[in-house]
Amino acid sequence: EDQVTQSPEALRLQEGESSSLNCSYTVSGLRGLFWYRQDPGKGPEFLFTLYSAGEEKEKERLKATLTKKESFLHITAPKPEDSATYLCAVQAGNTDKLIFGTGTRLQVFP
Amino acid sequence: KAGVTQTPRYLIKTRGQQVTLSCSPISGHRSVSWYQQTPGQGLQFLFEYFSETQRNKGNFPGRFSGRQFSNSRSEMNVSTLELGDSALYLCASSRLGTGPYEQYFGPGTRLTVT
């Protein structure tokens, strides 16, 4: 069965303290891996798509990487406005549905 | 470019009633997917529509149904509501129905069943 696991469940960082979020997946025929950010009471906001192992994408303080078994979301020198839940999702096989992990709740303190 | 819109944003219903939620995708997007988000289960796929046809369906009971119109707008319906149906219902649209295209989400409809 296709599965996505995110760790840690929650992460508290001091402003400027860099860290990484992990997304490990077990799927048949990965077509794409997606990172989203979700603020309380809002829908997920698209961040990155990664298609193949070795690929990297960057946006401001965020950098996403992909291997054959997992993806990392690196946050460099985070700010309080980076506080949110970060969701990882995969598309696999012949379906467009997204299979989501349970997310990492990030809190950045000034 | 306008994003995905969902109406209503909030809804309170009683057990046994039915509800219809609406979703308007981003202009030019023809694929619409629906997800249920709860604190315990996270985001779970309900179904996907492309060109008015249901292409995929998640593991939800038949009380959950949907449809898509010729202008790509979509509705989902939940009949005989149960307390466990309380959730944030999210609609997402993508450019095409094939390939790993990213899905863009609307703000969701918060459904509370009492």
Side-chain angles (χ1 to χ4, degrees):
Chain A
E1 184 182 342
D2 296 336
Q3 198 166 359
V4 178
T5 304
Q6 290 189 247
S7 62
E9 286 187 13
L11 184 61
R12 293 164 57 99
L13 297 174
Q14 202 72 32
E15 184 173 3
E17 180 187 2
S18 302
S19 188
S20 295
L21 282 54
N22 177 263
C23 170
S24 61
Y25 58 91
T26 307
V27 298
S28 299
L30 179 73
R31 295 167 61 214
L33 184 141
F34 305 84
W35 282 97
Y36 287 87
R37 167 193 170 128
Q38 186 173 27
D39 293 296
K42 297 187 176 182
E45 174 191 346
F46 170 75
L47 293 173
F48 302 109
T49 306
L50 300 167
Y51 295 105
S52 57
E55 190 174 2
E56 297 182 353
K57 294 271 180 77
E58 283 189 71
K59 179 181 178 181
E60 296 181 356
R61 296 176 293 282
L62 300 177
K63 179 180 177 180
T65 61
L66 180 66
T67 72
K68 287 187 177 180
K69 293 184 178 181
E70 58 192 349
S71 176
F72 292 94
L73 185 65
H74 307 278
I75 302 177
T76 302
K79 298 182 177 181
E81 54 262 41
D82 293 323
S83 297
T85 295
Y86 290 85
L87 296 163
C88 169
V90 299
Q91 272 181 350
N94 61 356
T95 172
D96 286 345
K97 75 174 184 181
L98 292 174
I99 303 167
F100 279 89
T102 51
T104 293
R105 189 173 66 255
L106 173 67
Q107 292 178 294
V108 182
F109 295 90
Chain B
K1 203 173 193 180
V4 177
T5 57
Q6 293 186 245
T7 57
R9 292 293 314 280
Y10 303 92
L11 208 49
I12 299 175
K13 289 287 187 178
T14 305
R15 268 184 308 175
Q17 288 186 315
Q18 74 166 18
V19 67
T20 299
L21 312 181
S22 181
C23 170
S24 292
I26 292 171
S27 177
H29 286 195
R30 294 168 61 194
S31 173
V32 173
S33 298
W34 289 89
Y35 295 82
Q36 181 195 65
Q37 186 174 31
T38 59
Q41 299 295 321
L43 272 147
Q44 291 191 295
F45 173 77
L46 281 158
F47 27 66
E48 182 214 355
Y49 286 88
F50 176 69
S51 292
E52 302 178 65
T53 301
Q54 186 181 91
R55 296 209 312 165
N56 292 292
K57 190 177 190 307
N59 297 324
F60 280 82
R63 300 185 297 106
F64 292 82
S65 63
R67 59 178 176 168
Q68 186 181 35
F69 302 95
S70 58
N71 61 358
S72 295
R73 191 177 69 84
S74 178
E75 289 181 347
M76 68 163 281
N77 183 276
V78 187
S79 62
T80 319
L81 284 166
E82 300 178 359
L83 294 178
D85 297 333
S86 295
L88 181 67
Y89 289 89
L90 292 159
C91 166
S93 74
S94 63
R95 186 155 48 93
L96 290 174
T98 57
Y101 292 106
E102 49 266 16
Q103 297 183 12
Y104 294 89
F105 284 83
T109 294
R110 171 72 64 186
L111 172 64
T112 302
V113 182
T114 62

